[in-house]
Each structure stands twice: as C-alpha cells, then as structure tokens.
Amino acid sequence: MKIGYIQMEPAFLDREANLDHAAEMLEKAKDADIIVLPELFNTGYNFQGKKEVNALAEDAETGVTSTLLQEIAKENDQYIAAGYAERIGDKIYNSQLLVGPGGFINSYQKVHLFCNEKKFFEPGKSIGVIDLGEARVGQMVCFDWFFPECMRTLMLKGADIILHSANLVLPYCPNSMVTRCLENRVFAVTCNRIGEEHGLGFIGMSQITATDGGIMHRAPESSEETWIEEVNPLLARNKDMNELNNIIRDRAVGAYDLR
Amino acid sequence: MKIGYIQMEPAFLDREANLDHAAEMLEKAKDADIIVLPELFNTGYNFQGKKEVNALAEDAETGVTSTLLQEIAKENDQYIAAGYAERIGDKIYNSQLLVGPGGFINSYQKVHLFCNEKKFFEPGKSIGVIDLGEARVGQMVCFDWFFPECMRTLMLKGADIILHSANLVLPYCPNSMVTRCLENRVFAVTCNRIGEEHGLGFIGMSQITATDGGIMHRAPESSEETWIEEVNPLLARNKDMNELNNIIRDRAVGAYDLR
C-alpha cells in the first residue's frame, strides 16, 4: 500500500488559504492510500494568545476542515491524517483528525504537549490504534515521539504504521524515528512543516521510516514536498529479529519499573 | 568527574591474556573515576558450545577476574565496570561486574539476551541503580539498550550515568544511544569491543553520550582506544527540557499500556 506525507508551509491564522493550499497539494497525492499532513496544518502553530486558537478550533466531525478533508478522502478513495485544533465543549485540543473514504474515523488528542502548547491546549488522555482493514494505524502528534512509551503502547496495541503529524522545531526527531521504528518494528510517516512563525523556525525533514529503522525518504529542510512510498504493512506484524529474538516476547516486563 | 571506556580486542577463550591486556590498558586510565570495559572482556563472546563458557565462568566476588579488578580499582582509586561470565550455583549469566576502591560492589545479570547467548546464559531478572556517592549509576549490558524500558527503568530509579558494556555486532546502537540519553537526560558510557570471532565482526564505535544526546566522543571502528571525558553527573538530575516541560512529570502514565 502507498503511504505518504505533504510537507507544507501553513500561513499563520489563515485557515482558508491553508485549506486551499492543502487541497491543491492533495491533488498530487491521489495515489496515496494514506496521506499525512502536518500538525495544525490549517491554522499555523505559534499562537500568541488563547484567542487566536479559540477562533479557529473546530468540531472533529462537522468543522470546515474535517468537512473538506472528508470530501477529498472520498473523492481520492484514501485515508487522510491531519493536525488541527479541536474543540470539545469548552476545551481545545491539539489533535490529529483521521478521515477515510467513508467519512470521519477518529480524532486523536495529543497527549504530550510541548512548551507553550500547554497554555492553549488540554492534554489528551488516551493512545489507541485504528484498524483500517488493510493496515492498523497509530496516531501521534509531534512531541509524542519523545516519550518511548507512546509508540511502545501503539505497537503493543497492534499498530503497523504510525501516522505522525508534526511541527518540529528541535533537531532530534528525524534521527530518533530510526530508533523508534527499529525498537518497535513498525513503519512511521512523520509529516513536518517548514517556515517560520514569530521567530520560531520549523525544520522540515519529514520522513518515512521502515520497520528495520531504514529511512525510506527524508524531505528537504526548507521546501514543500509531497512524497509517497510503497510499503507492505504486514511486515510490521513479524516481530522476530532473528531465530531467537522476538521484540515482544523478549520484553522483560517483570524487571521494568515504569510507574 | 571523569568517566571513560577501554575499547579493546579480547583474545577468544584466553582469559590470562585478556586480564593482562586489560590491566595494561587500565594503566592508561588511572585518571578515570569510572571506567567501563566491554561485555565478556575476559573470555571473548562467540562461544561454540556451553563447555567453553562453563570453563571460564566465575564467582562475582572471589573469581580471578573480580579479584584482579578489585586490586586495580583500589590501586587507582576508581570504579571499574566490566562484562564477564558469572557463575551462581549451576547457572551462568552474562554479567557486568562493578568494583570500586572498597572492593566488590555489584554484579548485574544481563536481562535481554541476544541470539545465541540464550543457549549459554540465564537471563537476569532485575534492573537497578547503585549510588556511588558522587554519582548514581545504572548497569546495562549490550542488547539491553534495544528495549527502551531498560534505560527508562534505570532513569526512573535515579541513574545519572549508564555504564554500558557491549559486544555490538549490529550497526544501530551508537546512534540510538543519542535517543536513549536524550529521552532520559542521562549520561552513558557504551564500551564496545573490536575484532572478529568465528565470522562474527564487532563494530567498535564505543561512545560517551551526554544528557542532551550529544556525542562527547565516539571510538574508531577497528582499533583499540582508551578514552576519558569530564562530566558533571548532577546535570542528569535536572529533568527540565524548558520552562514548561519536564521529562518525568510529562510522562502520561495513565495513557500508557506497557504490559
């Protein structure tokens, strides 16, 4: 199956422009079975106050962003994962929407909030896996990668492919995804953004990583890019490293103290 | 304080030669406060049958290897961590000895056995931290690095510095130690060996890694090297990434499912 990302440069607070731009880039990603967009692709990231994000937060199923992505997913017969600000009652989350040919599927609320995000968003409370039939996917937003427990939980719940929307500002994630995929024997699509907002620069380098930690493709640092790779998600279900090691059976759960 | 490693090439099954060689190399490491030797530095690694390892396994406190290292540690007023085959009753473990100026301190039995090691060794059952006063150290042997739970447990139990004896044959560990140290904000000394045994090649590249994931020094792939770096172990006790993120407090334990 074909998995990919759209590394783009969102325009800060200009949702209409971002939806148009994403729709245009998605035109060139029609072949993808699963396509990932950056964290907060429709609003930009570096909010200077809660008012800004409050004005753009949306409902997961009926919001303007969700509605558009559902239309495109249906039209292209594909799954789309995309970061957005989600409103649930009077709370706002840094979420990743997942839609497919049949419409809305899930909204994942980012569990590990980075820095100023804590001023604007509530943290999510659960980490789960969605079975799409052809593959089981785990959803993750940006800083979630930093905590090994997050992808570990997704792997143990059966994820084959991690859909990772990001707005990376620190340099570590792309190389660390090699370790994350290797230790969990899963695929990952890390979709980052480019550009700068109020002095905060984003590093690009979106990446598709294989179950053996191989970097299938890494995007440039400062230009937009749509990229698609062919993968066999079932490879992620074989957790044998060699004849004697299996990365799930070899976990020494009794020796760990992870409270 | 000064932490370092001795990347050496053990002679297969020739304990006497290995002890002499290690003692010679330790002469040049007198300045180190803590010095790490490779996994199974005194016996070699690629055993072809249980008889070979059985003939060389030793008691942690009274064995010839432990006795020699205790003498050197006392003489040099330093701590030495070194991999060896440990005998406990009729069982043999792939262990890391820790001795200091006052003699024997601890023997850690490797929890995660790699490949054929399962034919020769029992797996260890516990992962713990030793308080040396100037620093708290966590002991780890080779493949233990692969399981994020291992260093996570050591960090959560208070380790400042990971003493990691290795016989690496796969290429992944040195780069992955960047992620491991970054995600746990600890120092690590990975001491690998060089050379080849029965067709199995070891990759060298011993490494001292800082709490920010910085590679303080990496050894060459195929020559011996003694290396020492100055570190402040107390840096590892500050788990703040920035004003709003702390890598322990930000763990979302309720969302993880790590059984």
Side-chain angles (χ1 to χ4, degrees):
Chain A
M1 82 189 292
K2 289 177 171 151
I3 61 177
Y5 60 75
I6 289 177
Q7 173 168 298
M8 59 179 276
E9 179 169 7
F12 189 53
L13 304 185
D14 191 344
R15 182 167 58 191
E16 204 181 319
N18 293 328
L19 293 184
D20 285 351
H21 187 38
E24 205 177 272
M25 291 189 79
L26 279 159
E27 273 290 310
K28 283 176 274 175
K30 284 188 179 201
D31 273 359
D33 297 300
I34 305 177
I35 190 91
V36 184
L37 275 70
E39 180 182 15
L40 296 165
F41 86 97
N42 60 340
T43 59
Y45 177 83
N46 198 6
F47 304 114
Q48 301 299 296
K50 199 153 186 175
K51 264 189 192 169
E52 289 178 348
V53 59
N54 198 42
L56 292 167
E58 307 179 21
D59 182 79
E61 299 194 48
T62 62
V64 56
T65 300
S66 184
T67 303
L68 175 70
L69 293 181
Q70 288 177 56
E71 276 167 24
I72 296 172
K74 191 173 183 176
E75 167 81 21
N76 292 356
D77 189 29
Q78 68 187 174
Y79 298 97
I80 303 173
Y84 74 116
E86 177 181 12
R87 183 189 309 285
I88 303 179
D90 59 351
K91 290 182 173 163
I92 298 176
Y93 297 85
N94 183 345
S95 295
Q96 188 197 58
L97 182 68
L98 179 62
V99 299
F104 172 81
I105 296 173
N106 193 51
S107 184
Y108 160 72
Q109 290 98 33
K110 184 179 187 176
V111 166
H112 304 92
L113 297 174
F114 183 69
C115 211
N116 285 344
E117 296 169 27
K118 294 191 178 192
K119 299 178 183 169
F120 309 124
F121 300 108
E122 294 289 316
K125 297 286 183 209
S126 74
I127 296 169
V129 168
I130 316 287
D131 192 342
L132 300 178
E134 302 131 278
R136 297 185 298 234
V137 297
Q139 295 184 265
M140 215 161 80
V141 178
C142 206
F143 192 48
D144 283 333
W145 77 265
F146 192 89
F147 296 82
E149 294 91 343
C150 188
M151 262 178 77
R152 200 60 149 181
T153 294
L154 289 171
M155 181 278 276
L156 290 169
K157 288 188 171 182
D160 304 316
I161 306 171
I162 307 301
L163 310 181
H164 184 206
S165 293
N167 272 194
L168 302 166
V169 294
L170 300 174
Y172 311 110
C173 177
N175 283 346
S176 289
M177 288 306 286
V178 170
T179 304
R180 290 280 176 267
C181 288
L182 186 68
E183 71 199 13
N184 291 303
R185 293 181 81 84
V186 294
F187 292 98
V189 181
T190 297
C191 180
N192 195 26
R193 60 163 288 177
I194 59 164
E196 196 180 310
E197 280 175 10
H198 294 292
L200 197 64
F202 303 92
I203 67 163
M205 302 203 285
S206 296
Q207 184 171 293
I208 303 180
T209 317
T211 57
D212 62 357
I215 297 172
M216 300 183 78
H217 187 74
R218 180 180 284 181
E221 293 176 30
S222 48
S223 54
E224 297 193 321
E225 183 182 76
T226 300
W227 197 268
I228 297 166
E229 289 281 342
E230 174 89 36
V231 302
N232 175 4
L234 299 183
L235 285 179
R237 303 203 185 167
N238 176 5
K239 301 301 188 190
D240 292 336
M241 279 188 83
N242 53 51
E243 278 179 26
L244 292 165
N245 289 107
N246 176 285
I247 65 150
I248 294 182
R249 281 199 306 274
D250 286 344
R251 293 175 69 238
V253 178
Y256 305 151
D257 192 346
L258 300 166
R259 288 166 293 185
Chain B
M1 84 188 291
K2 289 178 171 150
I3 61 177
Y5 60 75
I6 290 177
Q7 173 168 299
M8 59 180 275
E9 179 170 8
F12 189 53
L13 304 185
D14 191 344
R15 181 166 61 192
E16 204 182 319
N18 292 327
L19 293 184
D20 285 352
H21 187 38
E24 206 178 271
M25 291 189 79
L26 279 160
E27 272 290 311
K28 284 176 273 174
K30 284 187 178 199
D31 273 359
D33 297 300
I34 305 177
I35 190 92
V36 184
L37 274 70
E39 180 182 15
L40 296 166
F41 86 98
N42 61 340
T43 60
Y45 178 84
N46 198 5
F47 304 115
Q48 301 298 296
K50 198 152 185 176
K51 262 188 192 169
E52 288 178 348
V53 58
N54 197 42
L56 293 166
E58 307 180 22
D59 182 80
E61 298 194 48
T62 63
V64 57
T65 301
S66 183
T67 303
L68 175 70
L69 293 182
Q70 288 178 56
E71 275 167 23
I72 296 172
K74 190 172 182 177
E75 167 81 21
N76 292 357
D77 190 29
Q78 68 187 173
Y79 297 97
I80 303 173
Y84 74 115
E86 178 181 12
R87 182 189 309 286
I88 303 178
D90 59 352
K91 290 181 173 162
I92 298 175
Y93 298 84
N94 183 345
S95 295
Q96 188 196 58
L97 182 68
L98 179 62
V99 299
F104 172 81
I105 296 173
N106 193 51
S107 183
Y108 161 72
Q109 290 98 36
K110 183 178 187 177
V111 165
H112 304 93
L113 298 173
F114 182 69
C115 210
N116 285 345
E117 296 170 27
K118 294 190 178 192
K119 299 177 183 170
F120 309 123
F121 299 109
E122 293 289 316
K125 298 285 181 209
S126 73
I127 296 169
V129 168
I130 316 288
D131 192 342
L132 301 178
E134 302 130 279
R136 297 184 298 234
V137 298
Q139 295 183 264
M140 215 162 78
V141 178
C142 206
F143 192 48
D144 283 332
W145 77 265
F146 192 89
F147 296 82
E149 294 90 344
C150 188
M151 260 177 78
R152 199 60 149 182
T153 294
L154 290 171
M155 181 277 276
L156 290 168
K157 288 189 170 182
D160 305 315
I161 306 172
I162 307 300
L163 310 181
H164 184 206
S165 293
N167 272 194
L168 301 167
V169 294
L170 301 174
Y172 311 110
C173 176
N175 283 345
S176 290
M177 288 306 286
V178 170
T179 304
R180 289 280 174 269
C181 287
L182 185 68
E183 72 200 13
N184 291 303
R185 295 181 80 84
V186 295
F187 292 97
V189 180
T190 297
C191 180
N192 195 25
R193 60 163 288 177
I194 59 163
E196 197 180 309
E197 280 174 11
H198 293 294
L200 197 65
F202 302 93
I203 67 163
M205 302 203 286
S206 296
Q207 184 171 293
I208 302 179
T209 318
T211 57
D212 62 356
I215 297 172
M216 301 183 77
H217 186 74
R218 180 179 285 182
E221 293 177 31
S222 48
S223 53
E224 297 192 321
E225 183 182 76
T226 299
W227 198 268
I228 297 166
E229 290 280 343
E230 175 88 37
V231 302
N232 176 4
L234 299 183
L235 285 179
R237 303 203 185 166
N238 176 5
K239 301 300 188 190
D240 292 335
M241 279 188 84
N242 54 51
E243 277 178 27
L244 293 165
N245 289 108
N246 175 285
I247 66 150
I248 293 182
R249 281 198 307 274
D250 286 345
R251 293 174 70 238
V253 178
Y256 305 150
D257 191 346
L258 300 165
R259 288 166 293 185

